[in-house]
Amino acid sequence: MAPIVRMAPSPTGLLHIGLARTFLFNWLFARQQGGECRLRIENTDTSREVAEATEQIQRSLRWLGLEWDGDVTFQLDRLERCQAEAHRLVAEGKAYEDEGAIRFRMPDEGITEWDDLVLGPVEFRNEELSDLVILRSDGRPLYNFASPVEDWVDGITHVLRGSDHVSNTPSQINILRALGSEIPRYGHVPMINGEDRKKLCKRHGALSVEEFKRAGYLREALMNFLALLGWSYDDKTTIMSEEELIERFSFDRVQASPAVFDYQKLDWMNGVYIRELPEGEFADRLVAWLREQGYDWDEELVRRTAPIVQEKISTLGAYPDFVRFLFEEVAPDTDLLDPHLLKEAESTLAGVEPFSADTIETALRRLAERVDLSPRKAFQPIRVAVTGSKISPGLFESLELLGREKSLARIRAAASELA
């Protein structure tokens, strides 16, 4: 039978990158096996904040390319079913009332065991399992009851979730048996730590899918990176397309130990994906990202800059600071300027015709020879005067994009500031 899996985030805020990784594992497994991947929101109320978080979760998943099957379901929608099943268990002697609440009667002897898809054989002594409250006195079901009831009703065949849920599994298995349900296969994937081997948190950097999108990461690069947090195809393959991930994913190579979120590796991987984009598509993505972030920079100029920055940036978020000098005025560091050289540069560039990168390069290299300086030393004051930074796209291309008039004006302004 084709598998049916689910991801059940709690709508408490932005979609955490760890939940996105776990959803990805569910999604890859379902797509590879020709099954279904469901999205269930484990809401406990219907507040405006919950509604907003629910919308954000769906937007983040769609941006990553993780479409779910069927309609989104909500825990509160199954409230009456959970209440009915809890009272049935009481009638059958499998649960009992306790101060208005209902507790499930755990077995006292033996063990509860399962063959985990990641961890292998796992077992708990039943005498160590407490009788859980499954229905509060106000009629609301608790997680460890509502979740297995919904798994049963939805026909979930595989429960794939974080390893922090291992302790919940024996109780849920016993509840499912009492309900008369088939027991799904369980797989507990590794948690994600920062590079200091501690639980991933805000001090390590961005945490939500929304933050990574805003920082200018490409969705396919982030998907590829997340797939490698706790899984690998082999010992050498890193860059994989969505189709390759679906084809190659298996739980045989999901590790049990915590994965480490390496932000530098993500930057490198994102840079690889940026450089592999066709030039036109890279420009399209730049324009779209800038609009989303509120930049109103001239689109034609943005597109003209695309070829000279594509090889140099690792995220779209690095673009604004890299080319800001083309769209806004700059304030160069006067300690890095040379008034004599700048006057020579002004005179030289004023006579360059046409004002293009090739002719500019020829003229400035001749200038460096004339003043007896290496190109690097001769070009730096010019670069700083024009771009405001020692780091920029190619100097000759930058001058061409800025244009003769603005380039000369900035060189004059820098020289006069020194005077």
Side-chain angles (χ1 to χ4, degrees), residues 60-124:
S60 292
L61 290 173
R62 286 194 176 104
W63 176 74
L64 270 175
L66 302 179
E67 289 285 350
W68 52 91
D69 300 295
D71 295 332
V72 180
T73 59
F74 296 86
Q75 189 175 85
L76 278 182
D77 294 344
R78 303 276 174 70
L79 176 63
E80 293 182 358
R81 179 63 182 268
C82 287
Q83 291 170 340
E85 296 300 335
H87 288 289
R88 176 170 71 88
L89 293 178
V90 172
E92 294 175 357
K94 299 173 183 176
Y96 57 93
E97 294 187 11
D98 180 14
E99 297 183 359
I102 293 179
R103 285 186 180 272
F104 180 76
R105 198 185 303 277
M106 289 289 172
D108 296 325
E109 300 177 346
I111 60 172
T112 299
E113 59 185 338
W114 70 95
D115 186 15
D116 198 281
L117 289 166
V118 177
L119 305 176
V122 182
E123 62 178 45
F124 282 76

Side-chain angles (χ1 to χ4, degrees), residues 106-222:
M106 289 289 172
D108 296 325
E109 300 177 346
I111 60 172
T112 299
E113 59 185 338
W114 70 95
D115 186 15
D116 198 281
L117 289 166
V118 177
L119 305 176
V122 182
E123 62 178 45
F124 282 76
R125 296 171 60 85
N126 288 333
E127 64 184 29
E128 298 173 353
L129 305 179
S130 303
D131 288 359
L132 293 179
V133 173
I134 58 175
L135 202 69
R136 294 185 178 93
S137 57
D138 62 4
R140 286 186 298 150
L142 277 81
Y143 164 77
N144 270 321
F145 185 61
S147 182
V149 167
E150 290 183 293
D151 289 342
W152 173 42
V153 172
D154 291 338
I156 301 300
T157 62
H158 296 72
V159 175
L160 313 174
R161 56 192 181 185
S163 58
D164 54 331
H165 282 281
V166 169
S167 60
N168 294 323
T169 302
S171 298
Q172 294 181 7
I173 288 175
N174 283 311
I175 288 171
L176 285 168
R177 284 175 178 156
L179 292 169
S181 167
E182 293 287 327
I183 307 301
R185 291 292 308 275
Y186 288 89
H188 292 89
V189 300
M191 301 300 290
I192 301 176
N193 289 342
E195 292 181 272
D196 57 2
R197 309 291 170 173
K198 296 180 180 179
K199 184 178 178 180
L200 192 67
C201 66
K202 200 64 184 175
R203 71 173 179 273
H204 296 114
L207 287 182
S208 72
V209 172
E210 189 72 25
E211 287 175 297
F212 286 99
K213 178 184 178 184
R214 195 161 52 243
Y217 290 91
L218 305 187
R219 71 154 198 89
E220 52 268 64
L222 188 56

Side-chain angles (χ1 to χ4, degrees), residues 330-335 337 339 342 410-419:
V330 300
D333 183 348
T334 55
D335 290 339
L337 300 177
L342 290 180
R410 289 189 181 178
I411 291 172
R412 280 195 297 268
S416 64
E417 189 171 332
L418 285 171

Side-chain angles (χ1 to χ4, degrees), residues 157-343:
T157 62
H158 296 72
V159 175
L160 313 174
R161 56 192 181 185
S163 58
D164 54 331
H165 282 281
V166 169
S167 60
N168 294 323
T169 302
S171 298
Q172 294 181 7
I173 288 175
N174 283 311
I175 288 171
L176 285 168
R177 284 175 178 156
L179 292 169
S181 167
E182 293 287 327
I183 307 301
R185 291 292 308 275
Y186 288 89
H188 292 89
V189 300
M191 301 300 290
I192 301 176
N193 289 342
E195 292 181 272
D196 57 2
R197 309 291 170 173
K198 296 180 180 179
K199 184 178 178 180
L200 192 67
C201 66
K202 200 64 184 175
R203 71 173 179 273
H204 296 114
L207 287 182
S208 72
V209 172
E210 189 72 25
E211 287 175 297
F212 286 99
K213 178 184 178 184
R214 195 161 52 243
Y217 290 91
L218 305 187
R219 71 154 198 89
E220 52 268 64
L222 188 56
M223 175 187 283
N224 190 165
F225 177 79
L226 291 178
L228 298 177
L229 289 179
W231 171 80
S232 63
Y233 173 60
D234 54 29
D235 296 330
K236 57 185 179 180
T237 306
T238 302
I239 304 298
M240 287 175 275
S241 67
E242 179 180 308
E243 293 74 20
E244 289 171 328
L245 290 172
I246 291 173
E247 178 186 349
R248 296 169 177 176
F249 183 80
S250 75
F251 278 96
D252 294 343
R253 292 188 67 88
V254 174
Q255 65 188 39
S257 57
V260 175
F261 198 108
D262 185 340
Y263 289 88
Q264 289 185 336
K265 181 178 180 180
L266 173 58
D267 285 348
W268 168 81
M269 187 176 290
N270 200 72
V272 171
Y273 273 88
I274 281 179
R275 290 187 289 277
E276 289 181 348
L277 287 175
E279 188 176 295
E281 184 178 349
F282 173 65
D284 289 342
R285 297 222 192 177
L286 263 182
V287 169
W289 182 85
L290 287 167
R291 285 174 178 164
E292 289 174 359
Q293 306 310 313
Y295 289 92
D296 60 355
W297 290 352
D298 178 72
E299 180 177 331
E300 181 184 352
L301 183 52
V302 170
R303 291 185 179 279
R304 288 175 61 198
T305 66
I308 67 171
V309 301
Q310 188 169 1
E311 293 293 322
K312 297 179 180 296
I313 61 175
S314 59
T315 67
L316 302 182
Y319 175 82
D321 287 343
F322 205 52
V323 300
R324 194 177 300 276
F325 70 95
L326 292 170
F327 303 91
E328 301 172 7
E329 292 303 316
V330 300
D333 183 348
T334 55
D335 290 339
L336 301 174
L337 300 177
D338 179 332
H340 173 69
L341 183 63
L342 290 180
K343 288 179 181 179

